Amino acid sequence: VRLTIVPWMSVTVEIPADVAASIRVPPGELDERLRLELAVALYRQGLLASGKACALAGQTRWEWEEVLGRRGVVRHYTDADLTEDLA
């Protein structure tokens, strides 16, 4: 499975065939789903900012926020972020 993170960089994640076949996702959706799961995991751990995680997942901002809400992911949003957004 090849995950392209940015146009000039790609990361290859090797998944054994038996494991890939066991993932309960339709084959045509596997790459998209793995990108989403990676984005959520990295964001949840504070390793990737929301905007970058959204881009990695290949979603709109609204779709991304919906995913986080459905999964109960706590947003990493500080008072400084709020002040900056209000300005």
Side-chain angles (χ1 to χ4, degrees):
V1 175
R2 178 176 290 276
L3 301 174
T4 301
I5 296 178
V6 292
W8 60 90
M9 181 179 156
S10 67
V11 174
T12 301
V13 177
E14 293 186 25
I15 300 174
D18 63 321
V19 173
S22 297
I23 298 174
R24 295 182 188 104
V25 174
E29 298 174 18
L30 187 58
D31 287 348
E32 178 182 325
R33 182 61 182 268
L34 290 176
R35 289 170 59 97
L36 174 64
E37 296 305 326
L38 178 59
V40 169
L42 292 174
Y43 176 73
R44 181 176 274 157
Q45 295 175 51
L47 299 174
L48 196 59
S50 183
K52 296 297 184 184
C54 176
L56 174 58
Q59 296 191 327
T60 67
R61 190 63 167 170
W62 293 111
E63 290 168 332
W64 175 247
E65 290 297 331
E66 195 172 290
V67 166
L68 295 180
R70 280 195 315 265
R71 293 177 181 214
V73 175
V74 176
R75 300 332 190 265
H76 306 284
Y77 196 78
T78 64
D79 289 340
D81 293 329
L82 175 60
T83 302
E84 183 178 320
D85 286 346
L86 291 174

